[in-house]
Amino acid sequence: TGFSLSGSYLGVYGIEVAGSDISYSNGAYLAVWRCYVHDHPAGQGIGAAGNNSHVSNVSCCFNLVHTTSRDNVWATSNISFYHFTNAIGSQNHDWVNGYDNLVIGNITHHGSQGPGTPQSDGNGIIIDDMQCLQNYGSDHSGINYRGNWLIMGNLAVANGPTAGAGVHCFQTDFVDMCFNTAAANNSVAMDMNAGAGQGVRGDIYANLTWQTN
């Protein structure tokens, strides 16, 4: 059985979920800390991964997530955040130490891209299309999500294996990515092991990447 956060000022701490996920479904100021999520081939591990996520201001910290997404044709990942909204919460870079969203200290391994064509995702961690340039709904309207992100101190190992990256940001602005370690992800090097996609405004520094190919 999975766990879904819907509302505001809610958190999940220290639970294990096997064969399902923990999702940020709706609301602002939502936290998932020190959880163990694993063996969910049908979808993501932790995240807000549906189109038009009515979500803002999340923290995802010190979780262990592995072995997800293998059979999902909709391109999910171990930890995934997609299409946030400016309609709720705050995007003033002022929630926690100057940041609106935190992804800190997670360990993620063996995320798999699904069987779709072309294959994509299966990332360890992805911050995906916060510019809302893909599908979007009435409160997104293709408008760039203004909240900023701190992606720090995460470990991502053996994700992919052919499409996914270790720690990845795609079409997302206002990202600081630092002190992350990504090793042996994306074995055919279709994507960066750790890095940023199109249109990122922020800082990427002091990350360690190691590749086997």
Side-chain angles (χ1 to χ4, degrees):
T1 301
F3 202 99
S4 177
L5 287 169
S6 182
S8 294
Y9 301 99
L10 299 175
V12 179
Y13 184 93
I15 67 171
E16 179 178 355
V17 175
S20 190
D21 68 339
I22 299 176
S23 65
Y24 302 77
S25 298
N26 180 60
Y29 309 107
L30 305 174
V32 178
W33 282 48
R34 297 191 183 279
C35 292
Y36 178 31
V37 182
H38 59 98
D39 296 292
H40 185 214
Q44 68 177 2
I46 297 175
N51 286 343
N52 316 317
S53 299
H54 197 70
V55 173
S56 182
N57 306 97
V58 303
S59 64
C60 178
C61 302
F62 311 113
N63 301 289
L64 172 59
V65 185
H66 68 81
T67 319
T68 74
S69 307
R70 183 195 64 214
D71 300 332
N72 189 295
V73 298
W74 301 107
T76 56
S77 295
N78 271 337
I79 297 175
S80 177
F81 297 102
Y82 182 59
H83 278 189
F84 279 19
T85 178
N86 295 319
I88 57 174
S90 170
Q91 295 79 42
N92 296 323
H93 305 180
D94 61 0
W95 182 30
V96 180
N97 295 330
Y99 291 95
D100 300 312
N101 301 278
L102 306 175
V103 183
I104 297 174
N106 300 285
I107 298 173
T108 169
H109 62 87
H110 291 95
S112 298
Q113 72 276 3
T117 303
Q119 290 186 322
S120 65
D121 290 84
N123 303 280
I125 298 169
I126 183 169
I127 314 301
D128 191 2
D129 193 29
M130 294 296 164
Q131 296 178 352
C132 296
L133 299 177
Q134 300 170 7
N135 300 313
Y136 48 82
S138 59
D139 68 343
H140 294 70
S141 301
I143 298 173
N144 193 6
Y145 175 65
R146 296 189 302 269
N148 66 345
W149 295 81
L150 177 61
I151 316 299
M152 183 175 73
N154 300 285
L155 172 63
V157 179
N159 297 285
T162 58
V167 182
H168 185 52
C169 296
F170 179 70
Q171 292 180 174
T172 296
D173 288 342
F174 317 120
V175 176
D176 287 343
M177 183 189 297
C178 57
F179 307 114
N180 300 287
T181 299
N185 300 285
N186 188 8
S187 61
V188 297
M190 291 175 59
D191 202 350
M192 297 173 65
N193 204 356
Q198 304 167 23
V200 172
R201 289 174 281 180
D203 293 307
I204 300 174
Y205 59 92
N207 297 287
L208 174 64
T209 63
W210 176 77
Q211 194 60 285
T212 57
N213 60 311

